[in-house]
Coordinates of all heavy atoms in Angstrom, one line a residue:
T208 N 2.5 -12.9 -14.6 CA 4.0 -13.0 -14.5 C 4.5 -12.3 -15.7 O 5.8 -12.0 -15.7 CB 4.3 -14.5 -14.5 OG1 3.7 -15.2 -15.6 CG2 3.8 -15.2 -13.2
E209 N 4.0 -12.3 -16.8 CA 4.4 -11.6 -18.0 C 3.3 -11.3 -18.9 O 2.2 -11.8 -18.8 CB 5.5 -12.5 -18.8 CG 6.3 -11.8 -19.8 CD 6.8 -10.4 -19.4 OE1 6.1 -9.4 -19.6 OE2 8.0 -10.4 -18.9
F210 N 3.5 -10.4 -19.9 CA 2.5 -10.1 -20.9 C 3.1 -10.0 -22.3 O 4.2 -9.5 -22.4 CB 2.0 -8.6 -20.6 CG 1.4 -8.5 -19.2 CD1 2.2 -7.9 -18.1 CD2 0.1 -8.8 -18.8 CE1 1.7 -7.8 -16.9 CE2 -0.4 -8.6 -17.6 CZ 0.4 -8.1 -16.6
M211 N 2.5 -10.7 -23.3 CA 2.9 -10.6 -24.6 C 2.6 -9.3 -25.2 O 1.7 -9.2 -26.1 CB 2.4 -11.9 -25.5 CG 2.9 -13.1 -25.0 SD 4.6 -13.4 -25.4 CE 4.5 -13.7 -27.0
S212 N 3.3 -8.3 -24.7 CA 2.9 -7.0 -25.1 C 3.9 -6.0 -24.5 O 4.9 -6.5 -23.8 CB 1.5 -6.4 -24.7 OG 1.5 -6.3 -23.3
A213 N 3.9 -4.8 -24.8 CA 4.7 -3.7 -24.1 C 4.5 -3.5 -22.6 O 5.2 -2.7 -22.0 CB 4.7 -2.4 -24.9
R214 N 3.5 -4.1 -22.0 CA 3.1 -4.0 -20.7 C 4.2 -4.5 -19.8 O 4.8 -5.6 -20.1 CB 1.8 -4.6 -20.4 CG 1.4 -4.4 -19.0 CD 0.0 -4.9 -18.6 NE -1.0 -3.9 -19.3 CZ -1.4 -3.0 -18.8 NH1 -1.0 -2.4 -17.6 NH2 -2.3 -2.0 -19.5
D215 N 4.7 -3.8 -18.7 CA 5.8 -4.2 -17.9 C 5.4 -5.0 -16.8 O 4.6 -4.7 -16.0 CB 6.4 -2.8 -17.4 CG 7.6 -3.2 -16.6 OD1 8.2 -4.3 -16.6 OD2 8.0 -2.2 -15.8
A216 N 5.9 -6.3 -16.7 CA 5.6 -7.3 -15.7 C 6.6 -7.1 -14.4 O 6.3 -7.5 -13.4 CB 5.5 -8.6 -16.2
S217 N 7.9 -6.6 -14.8 CA 8.9 -6.6 -13.7 C 9.0 -5.3 -13.1 O 9.5 -5.3 -11.8 CB 10.2 -7.0 -14.4 OG 10.7 -5.9 -15.1
G218 N 8.6 -4.2 -13.6 CA 8.6 -3.0 -13.0 C 9.8 -2.1 -13.4 O 9.9 -0.8 -13.3
H219 N 11.0 -2.8 -13.8 CA 12.1 -2.2 -14.1 C 11.9 -1.1 -15.2 O 12.5 0.1 -15.0 CB 13.2 -3.2 -14.6 CG 14.6 -2.7 -14.8 ND1 15.1 -2.2 -15.8 CD2 15.6 -2.7 -13.8 CE1 16.4 -1.8 -15.7 NE2 16.6 -2.1 -14.4
G220 N 11.3 -1.4 -16.4 CA 11.1 -0.3 -17.4 C 10.3 0.8 -17.0 O 10.6 1.9 -17.3
T221 N 9.2 0.5 -16.1 CA 8.4 1.6 -15.7 C 9.2 2.5 -14.7 O 9.1 3.7 -14.9 CB 7.2 0.9 -15.0 OG1 6.6 0.0 -15.6 CG2 6.3 2.0 -14.3
H222 N 10.1 2.0 -13.9 CA 10.9 2.8 -13.0 C 11.9 3.7 -13.8 O 12.0 4.9 -13.6 CB 11.7 1.9 -12.1 CG 12.3 2.5 -10.8 ND1 13.3 3.4 -10.9 CD2 11.8 2.5 -9.7 CE1 13.7 3.8 -9.7 NE2 12.8 3.3 -8.8
T223 N 12.6 3.2 -14.8 CA 13.6 4.0 -15.5 C 12.8 5.0 -16.5 O 13.3 6.0 -16.5 CB 14.4 3.0 -16.4 OG1 13.6 2.2 -17.4 CG2 15.3 2.2 -15.6
S224 N 11.7 4.5 -17.0 CA 10.8 5.5 -17.9 C 10.5 6.6 -17.0 O 10.5 7.8 -17.5 CB 9.8 4.8 -18.5 OG 10.1 3.8 -19.4
S225 N 9.9 6.4 -15.9 CA 9.3 7.6 -15.0 C 10.5 8.5 -14.5 O 10.4 9.6 -14.3 CB 8.5 7.1 -14.0 OG 9.3 6.3 -13.1
T226 N 11.6 8.0 -14.3 CA 12.9 8.6 -13.8 C 13.2 9.6 -14.9 O 13.6 10.8 -14.6 CB 13.9 7.7 -13.4 OG1 13.6 6.9 -12.4 CG2 15.2 8.5 -13.0
A227 N 13.2 9.1 -16.1 CA 13.6 10.0 -17.3 C 12.6 11.0 -17.7 O 12.9 12.3 -17.7 CB 13.9 9.1 -18.4
A228 N 11.3 10.7 -17.7 CA 10.3 11.6 -18.4 C 9.0 11.4 -17.7 O 8.1 11.9 -18.3 CB 10.2 11.3 -19.8
G229 N 8.9 11.1 -16.4 CA 7.7 11.0 -15.7 C 7.0 12.4 -15.6 O 7.7 13.4 -15.2
S230 N 5.7 12.4 -15.6 CA 4.9 13.6 -15.4 C 5.0 13.9 -13.8 O 5.4 13.0 -13.1 CB 3.6 13.6 -15.9 OG 3.4 13.4 -17.2
L231 N 4.5 15.2 -13.5 CA 4.6 15.5 -12.0 C 3.4 14.7 -11.3 O 2.3 14.7 -11.8 CB 4.4 17.0 -11.9 CG 5.5 17.8 -12.0 CD1 6.1 17.7 -13.5 CD2 5.2 19.4 -11.7
V232 N 3.8 14.0 -10.2 CA 2.8 13.4 -9.4 C 3.0 13.9 -7.9 O 4.1 13.7 -7.2 CB 3.0 11.9 -9.3 CG1 2.0 11.1 -8.6 CG2 3.1 11.3 -10.9
K233 N 1.9 14.5 -7.3 CA 2.0 14.9 -6.0 C 1.9 13.9 -4.9 O 1.3 12.8 -5.2 CB 0.9 16.0 -5.8 CG 1.1 17.2 -6.6 CD -0.1 18.2 -6.3 CE 0.0 19.5 -7.1 NZ -1.1 20.4 -6.9
N234 N 2.6 14.1 -3.8 CA 2.4 13.2 -2.7 C 2.8 11.7 -2.9 O 2.1 10.9 -2.4 CB 0.9 13.3 -2.0 CG 0.6 14.5 -1.6 OD1 1.5 15.2 -0.8 ND2 -0.5 15.0 -1.9
A235 N 3.7 11.5 -3.7 CA 4.3 10.2 -4.1 C 5.1 9.8 -2.9 O 5.7 10.6 -2.1 CB 5.0 10.2 -5.3
S236 N 5.0 8.5 -2.6 CA 6.0 7.9 -1.5 C 5.9 6.4 -1.5 O 5.1 5.8 -2.3 CB 5.4 8.3 -0.2 OG 4.3 7.7 0.2
F237 N 6.9 5.8 -0.7 CA 6.7 4.4 -0.5 C 6.4 4.2 0.9 O 7.2 4.4 1.9 CB 8.0 3.7 -0.9 CG 8.0 2.2 -0.6 CD1 7.5 1.3 -1.6 CD2 8.5 1.6 0.4 CE1 7.4 0.0 -1.4 CE2 8.5 0.3 0.7 CZ 7.8 -0.5 -0.3
L238 N 5.2 3.9 1.1 CA 4.7 3.5 2.5 C 4.9 4.8 3.4 O 5.1 4.7 4.5 CB 5.2 2.4 3.1 CG 5.0 1.1 2.3 CD1 5.8 -0.1 3.0 CD2 3.6 0.8 2.1
G239 N 4.9 6.1 2.8 CA 5.0 7.2 3.6 C 6.5 7.7 3.5 O 6.7 8.9 4.0
L240 N 7.4 6.9 3.2 CA 8.8 7.3 3.2 C 9.1 8.2 1.9 O 8.6 7.8 0.8 CB 9.7 6.1 3.3 CG 9.8 5.4 4.6 CD1 10.6 4.1 4.5 CD2 10.3 6.4 5.8
A241 N 10.0 9.1 1.9 CA 10.4 9.9 0.9 C 9.2 10.5 0.2 O 9.3 10.7 -1.1 CB 11.2 9.1 -0.2
Q242 N 8.4 11.1 1.0 CA 7.2 11.7 0.4 C 7.5 12.9 -0.2 O 8.2 13.8 0.3 CB 6.1 12.0 1.4 CG 4.7 12.5 0.9 CD 3.6 12.2 2.0 OE1 3.9 11.9 3.1 NE2 2.3 12.4 1.6
G243 N 6.8 13.3 -1.4 CA 7.1 14.6 -2.1 C 6.5 14.5 -3.4 O 5.7 13.6 -4.0
M244 N 6.9 15.5 -4.2 CA 6.5 15.5 -5.7 C 7.5 14.7 -6.5 O 8.6 14.8 -6.6 CB 6.7 16.9 -6.1 CG 6.5 17.1 -7.7 SD 4.7 17.2 -8.2 CE 4.3 18.7 -7.7
A245 N 6.9 13.6 -7.1 CA 7.6 12.7 -8.1 C 7.6 13.2 -9.4 O 6.6 13.7 -9.9 CB 7.1 11.3 -8.0
R246 N 8.7 13.3 -10.2 CA 8.8 13.7 -11.5 C 10.0 13.2 -12.2 O 11.0 12.8 -11.6 CB 8.8 15.2 -11.5 CG 10.0 16.0 -10.7 CD 9.9 17.5 -10.6 NE 10.8 18.0 -9.7 CZ 12.0 18.6 -10.0 NH1 12.2 18.5 -11.2 NH2 12.7 19.1 -9.1
G247 N 9.9 13.2 -13.4 CA 11.1 12.8 -14.3 C 11.9 14.0 -14.5 O 11.5 15.2 -14.3
G248 N 13.1 13.8 -15.0 CA 14.0 15.0 -15.2 C 13.6 15.8 -16.4 O 13.8 17.0 -16.5
A249 N 12.9 15.1 -17.4 CA 12.3 15.8 -18.5 C 10.8 15.5 -18.6 O 10.4 14.9 -19.5 CB 13.1 15.4 -19.8
P250 N 10.1 16.1 -17.7 CA 8.7 15.8 -17.6 C 7.8 16.1 -18.8 O 6.8 15.6 -18.9 CB 8.2 16.6 -16.4 CG 9.1 17.7 -16.2 CD 10.4 17.2 -16.6
S251 N 8.3 17.0 -19.8 CA 7.6 17.3 -21.0 C 7.9 16.5 -22.2 O 7.4 16.7 -23.2 CB 7.6 18.8 -21.2 OG 7.0 19.6 -20.2
A252 N 9.1 15.7 -21.9 CA 9.6 14.8 -23.1 C 8.5 13.6 -23.2 O 7.7 13.4 -22.4 CB 10.9 14.4 -22.7
R253 N 8.7 13.2 -24.4 CA 7.8 12.0 -24.9 C 8.6 10.7 -24.6 O 9.9 10.7 -24.5 CB 7.5 12.0 -26.3 CG 7.1 13.4 -26.9 CD 5.9 14.0 -26.1 NE 5.7 15.3 -26.7 CZ 4.5 15.8 -27.3 NH1 3.5 14.8 -27.3 NH2 4.4 17.0 -27.8
L254 N 7.8 9.6 -24.4 CA 8.4 8.3 -24.2 C 8.2 7.4 -25.3 O 7.0 7.3 -25.8 CB 8.0 7.7 -22.9 CG 8.7 8.3 -21.7 CD1 7.8 7.8 -20.5 CD2 10.1 7.9 -21.5
A255 N 9.2 6.7 -26.0 CA 9.0 5.6 -26.9 C 9.6 4.4 -26.3 O 10.8 4.4 -25.9 CB 9.7 5.9 -28.2
V256 N 8.7 3.4 -26.0 CA 9.0 2.2 -25.3 C 9.3 1.1 -26.1 O 8.5 0.7 -27.0 CB 7.8 1.8 -24.3 CG1 8.2 0.6 -23.5 CG2 7.6 3.1 -23.4
Y257 N 10.5 0.4 -26.0 CA 10.8 -0.8 -26.7 C 11.2 -1.9 -25.7 O 12.2 -1.9 -25.0 CB 12.1 -0.4 -27.5 CG 12.0 0.7 -28.5 CD1 12.1 2.0 -28.1 CD2 11.6 0.4 -29.9 CE1 11.8 3.0 -28.9 CE2 11.3 1.4 -30.8 CZ 11.5 2.7 -30.3 OH 11.3 3.8 -31.1
K258 N 10.3 -2.8 -25.5 CA 10.3 -3.9 -24.6 C 11.1 -5.1 -25.3 O 10.7 -5.7 -26.1 CB 8.9 -4.4 -24.2 CG 9.0 -5.6 -23.2 CD 7.6 -6.0 -22.7 CE 7.6 -7.1 -21.8 NZ 6.3 -7.5 -21.3
V259 N 12.3 -5.1 -24.6 CA 13.2 -6.1 -25.1 C 13.6 -7.2 -24.0 O 14.3 -8.2 -24.2 CB 14.6 -5.6 -25.7 CG1 14.3 -4.8 -26.9 CG2 15.3 -4.8 -24.5
C260 N 13.1 -7.0 -22.7 CA 13.6 -7.7 -21.6 C 12.3 -8.3 -21.0 O 11.3 -7.6 -20.9 CB 14.3 -7.0 -20.6 SG 15.9 -6.3 -21.3
W261 N 12.4 -9.5 -20.5 CA 11.1 -10.3 -20.1 C 11.3 -10.7 -18.6 O 12.4 -11.4 -18.4 CB 10.9 -11.4 -21.1 CG 10.5 -10.9 -22.5 CD1 11.6 -10.5 -23.5 CD2 9.3 -10.5 -23.0 NE1 11.0 -10.2 -24.6 CE2 9.5 -10.0 -24.4 CE3 8.0 -10.6 -22.5 CZ2 8.5 -9.6 -25.2 CZ3 6.9 -10.1 -23.4 CH2 7.3 -9.7 -24.7
A262 N 10.3 -10.6 -17.9 CA 10.4 -10.9 -16.5 C 10.7 -12.5 -16.2 O 11.3 -12.9 -15.2 CB 9.2 -10.5 -15.8
T263 N 10.3 -13.3 -17.1 CA 10.4 -14.8 -17.0 C 11.7 -15.4 -17.4 O 11.9 -16.5 -17.3 CB 9.3 -15.3 -17.8 OG1 9.3 -14.9 -19.1 CG2 7.9 -15.1 -17.1
G264 N 12.7 -14.5 -18.0 CA 13.9 -15.2 -18.3 C 15.0 -14.3 -18.9 O 15.9 -14.8 -19.1
G265 N 14.7 -13.0 -19.0 CA 15.9 -12.2 -19.4 C 15.4 -11.5 -21.0 O 14.4 -11.3 -21.4
C266 N 16.5 -11.3 -21.5 CA 16.5 -10.5 -22.9 C 17.4 -11.0 -23.9 O 18.5 -11.5 -23.6 CB 16.8 -9.0 -22.7 SG 16.6 -8.5 -21.0

Side-chain angles (χ1 to χ4, degrees):
T208 56
E209 190 49 275
F210 305 93
M211 290 291 286
S212 70
R214 183 171 290 277
D215 181 15
S217 75
H219 191 273
T221 300
H222 198 281
T223 56
S224 296
S225 62
T226 300
S230 302
L231 278 62
V232 181
K233 295 180 180 179
N234 296 318
S236 73
F237 181 81
L238 304 179
L240 292 174
Q242 188 166 9
M244 174 78 77
R246 56 189 169 98
S251 295
R253 321 301 179 120
L254 284 167
V256 177
Y257 300 86
K258 181 176 178 177
V259 296
C260 301
W261 300 85
T263 52
C266 339

